[in-house]
Every structure is written in C-alpha cells, then in structure tokens.
Amino acid sequence: MKLISILALLLSLAGCSSMLFYPEPGLPFTPDKARLEYRDVNLTAADGTRLHGWWLPAKTGVPVKGTVLHLHGNGGNMSWHLGGSWWLPEQGYQVLMLDYRGYGQSQGEPSLPAIYQDIQAAFDWLKAAPEVQGKPLVVLGQSIGGSLAVHYLSQHPQEKARIKALILDGTPAS
C-alpha cells in the first residue's frame, strides 16, 4: 500500500509540472548589465542534464562573509531574478545562481521530481568550489525556489546540515 501511495504521489507531481514551471529559454541579459562581475558555471545533474548558472563573486576588496545559493522562481530564467541577488556581492556575499532544467541555457524540461537533481548539482558544485570552503552557506529561495528548497532540504539532511540560513522570499505556504 505504501509503494502505491508513493507512486501515486510521484505521478501526480509529474502531471502538475506543466502548471508549476514557466521557463524562458535564452538569456536576455547577463550580470554585466548590472555592472557585476560574474562567470558562467556549467553543472551536470545526476541524470546527465547539463545546467547553466552564474557565479557572482563578492566585490573586489570586500571581505567574503559567505556564499548564497539562489534558487529562482517559476517564471522566466535567472536573468529575470537577478534583482533578488544583485546587491549581495557588494555586501561581501558570493552567489551561485542556477537555471533549472529547461530554463535559460540549461538543457531538458523542468519536472518534478527531476528538478531536485538540479538542486543537488548546485550543492555538489558548491561543495567542490575552493572559494566556498570555510564560508557560511545560505540558501535564498524565491517563490517556487523557496518551496523547492524547503522540500529538498527536508529530504536531504546532509545538505541541510551544511547551511547556516534559509531565506524564503515570496514562497507559497502550500
């Protein structure tokens, strides 16, 4: 009975994906338009899906206070959500912004539960990045990105233990 319930939940989540995600391919602008330093980051999810992100280093000369993983909302792509993080590098925070599968320049189609592999790929990248080591890690979830973060972290205690704070911006309660 338990297996049937889990299967029904997964099928219902997969069926709802088209109503949850509104990806926009391409990138209409990059952080340099906001006069931010950045570099493109390429990640690979466990299923082989290639993902694209941006690394925004802390402003030159500003001591690094920590790292923020920015999980954006359900519409557009990370270009449209740069407003949630553009100010952080000046305050000493380095930021990893990730476009989920099907968003921006990331391959694939967004769906549940596959999108959780994208979040794991971001955590794996952060775990390996030398500039992140020894710095506090914060997750910033905007809109559905907050919901994804809460659910993901509840299922991955090893990643939950790594973060110092979870910030939810406009996240739906259900």
Side-chain angles (χ1 to χ4, degrees), residues 2-25:
K2 186 175 182 179
L3 181 60
I4 293 172
S5 298
I6 291 171
L7 184 59
L9 174 64
L10 289 176
L11 287 173
S12 68
L13 288 176
C16 294
S17 291
S18 65
M19 295 188 309
L20 292 176
F21 303 112
Y22 300 97
E24 181 177 317

Side-chain angles (χ1 to χ4, degrees), residues 77-162:
N77 58 49
M78 64 186 171
S79 293
W80 300 113
H81 297 277
L82 183 59
S85 289
W86 70 270
W87 57 279
L88 290 167
E90 189 172 302
Q91 300 301 314
Y93 291 93
Q94 43 198 14
V95 180
L96 175 61
M97 294 186 74
L98 170 71
D99 257 339
Y100 316 118
R101 55 188 66 220
Y103 285 78
Q105 294 178 338
S106 293
Q107 294 180 334
E109 294 291 322
S111 65
L112 290 173
I115 206 163
Y116 293 111
Q117 293 179 44
D118 305 351
I119 296 171
Q120 183 62 56
F123 272 102
D124 291 345
W125 188 90
L126 290 167
K127 194 179 299 181
E131 57 267 58
V132 174
Q133 307 314 308
K135 307 287 186 223
L137 178 59
V138 175
V139 175
L140 166 62
Q142 288 183 300
S143 186
I144 201 169
S147 297
L148 293 170
V150 167
H151 185 257
Y152 175 84
L153 291 169
S154 74
Q155 301 299 308
H156 295 84
Q158 74 282 5
E159 302 302 353
K160 180 181 172 187
R162 292 179 54 205

Side-chain angles (χ1 to χ4, degrees), residues 32-97:
D32 59 340
K33 295 282 186 189
R35 296 188 175 104
L36 291 172
E37 277 187 54
Y38 81 101
R39 77 173 190 257
D40 289 303
V41 173
N42 296 302
L43 304 95
T44 304
D47 65 359
T49 302
R50 290 187 350 186
L51 307 169
H52 178 251
W54 288 329
W55 176 253
L56 310 175
K59 185 176 180 178
T60 303
V62 177
V64 176
K65 295 177 183 173
T67 302
V68 176
L69 171 58
H70 181 157
L71 300 175
H72 67 69
N74 69 335
N77 58 49
M78 64 186 171
S79 293
W80 300 113
H81 297 277
L82 183 59
S85 289
W86 70 270
W87 57 279
L88 290 167
E90 189 172 302
Q91 300 301 314
Y93 291 93
Q94 43 198 14
V95 180
L96 175 61
M97 294 186 74

